[in-house]
Amino acid sequence: MGFKQVLSTTGVVALTGAVLLTSAPIAAADQVRDAQWPLTAYDAAKVWKTSQGAGVTVAVVDSGVDASLPDLTGQVLPGKDFTGQGSPHQDDNGHGTGMASLIAGHGHGADGSAGVKGLAPKAKILPVRVSSGKSDKYIDDWGAGVRYAVDQGASVINLSFNDSSAYPGSKAAEAIAYAQEKGAVVVSGTGNDAGTVNYPAALPGVVAVSAVDQDLNFWSKSNTGNVTVAAPGVRTPQADPTSSSGYVVADGTSGSTAYISAIVALLRSKYPDLTAGQIINRLVKSASFVNYKDKKAPDKELGYGIARPGTALTMDIPKGPKEGPLAQASPSTSTNSGTASGDNESTSAAKEKSDSSSGSTLLIVGIAAAVIVIGIVFAVIRSRRNGSGNGGPGPGGGTPSHGAGYPPQPPTSYQQYPNTPPNPGGYPTPPGQPPQHHNPYAQ
């Protein structure tokens, strides 16, 4: 189990090694919104004047998405359950619902001012359930869910998990290549065990996401290597139907993956004529190293930098080649039909990839010199439900029984949950920046 925290008017309570958000008599959901530091960091209110993700479908290939939660009503499409053990709207784990809330939650209450709001609140979520129960294990053939999502019109595929068996040439890799050939942007977390980038993030063309914290510092548990971009992934409030209050706070690249999927949805909504590669081009060329003046792109920790949605939407960036800046998968790897054959279809797990290859597949070849501008920001990821040994080949990780699982969650020391952002801008003023620019995402 990962790290979660509880927020109430009387303090914080630790339960069975985890800290959960508890409901409070007065505006607990308002406190959840106040604690959503990525929205403050990104100056989301300003971003939403340009794009809110309307018309874009994001597939959340995960443990299901609870469509009944108040923050997600009307956002979740029918979807499909590939486990054969329930409904795509059933989430006994809470992980998939959490990712969906970070992407397309709309909050609730007066003007949606309470609860979790996603960065792309008008995008639609396609739930693809490939994990059932409270465990972190996925079905062997979760790639069938990826193919299904693409055939249903999803143009963004969110994979907030690691799978050591998704090596090049595997069924999962072929499914991802199929998605890319059909024009979808595939986003995946690098992993949470401080090793090298895990599969499927290490596959060609996949946007590999590491995490940053509220100070825009690289999260030390993020896996490194061929990283594309970074995003907020530490202490991120999100919806969770398994919590008594409906909310949890978590660390990990799962959350940062969801935030990048949301940024891609914003871009796809504003620039519907751009190819997936050209969308990724905007993503990497608008990223920034913020305080890291000594870093050069691509960096093993932050890739091309911390993603900046406002800048990505408005910066003058040439379209560039249709293929975009990332290495492409071989066309021969995705010749199978894109139609999934059934909910309970699964095959035996493919062979495990070696440690030495876990971070070498994804090659970032584009020219994307990150511009250090005052409007910068955010990133980090999370994966809050990890059993030990569910993380792939990096240090501290192993091979799950079904070949896939949420990246291992490092132990986290207890901290008081903040009711408000650290300062009015969400982040401290970057060194050398004028003090009036407290929000590095403000433009």
Side-chain angles (χ1 to χ4, degrees), residues 4 29-30 54 118 141 364:
K4 296 188 279 186
D30 291 336
D141 192 17
I364 305 177

Side-chain angles (χ1 to χ4, degrees), residues 59 61 142 146 150 154-161 172-173 175-189 200-201 203-209 228 257 260-261 264 268 276-277 279-280 283 326 362:
V61 183
W142 54 262
V146 172
V150 174
S155 61
V156 187
I157 310 295
N158 187 88
L159 304 177
S160 288
F161 59 85
I176 289 175
Y178 174 81
Q180 293 166 337
E181 288 178 10
K182 294 296 182 180
V185 176
V186 181
V187 187
S188 183
L203 289 169
V206 175
V207 178
V209 188
T228 309
T257 299
I260 292 299
S261 290
V264 172
R268 302 222 83 160
I279 291 291
I280 296 172
L283 180 70
L326 304 185
L362 178 60

Side-chain angles (χ1 to χ4, degrees), residues 42 82 103 115 219 352 357 404:
Y42 282 142
F82 283 81
I103 296 168
W219 186 51
E352 181 179 349
S357 66

Side-chain angles (χ1 to χ4, degrees), residues 4-79:
K4 296 188 279 186
Q5 287 186 310
V6 93
L7 176 64
S8 72
T9 56
T10 56
V12 185
V13 181
L15 299 174
T16 63
V19 190
L20 306 175
L21 285 173
T22 56
S23 57
I26 302 175
D30 291 336
Q31 292 176 329
V32 171
R33 177 63 58 79
D34 289 342
Q36 280 195 271
W37 64 268
L39 298 185
T40 303
Y42 282 142
D43 197 358
K46 187 171 184 178
V47 169
W48 293 331
K49 292 179 181 179
T50 303
S51 176
Q52 296 187 40
V56 177
T57 297
V58 181
V60 175
V61 183
D62 214 296
S63 59
V65 177
D66 189 336
S68 67
L69 295 184
D71 295 345
L72 284 169
T73 54
Q75 298 300 99
V76 186
L77 300 172

Side-chain angles (χ1 to χ4, degrees), residues 64 128 184 339 421 429 435:
V128 181
T339 304
T429 302

Side-chain angles (χ1 to χ4, degrees), residues 322-335:
K322 292 182 179 180
E323 298 78 13
L326 304 185
Q328 302 298 304
S330 170
S332 63
T333 63
S334 58
T335 54

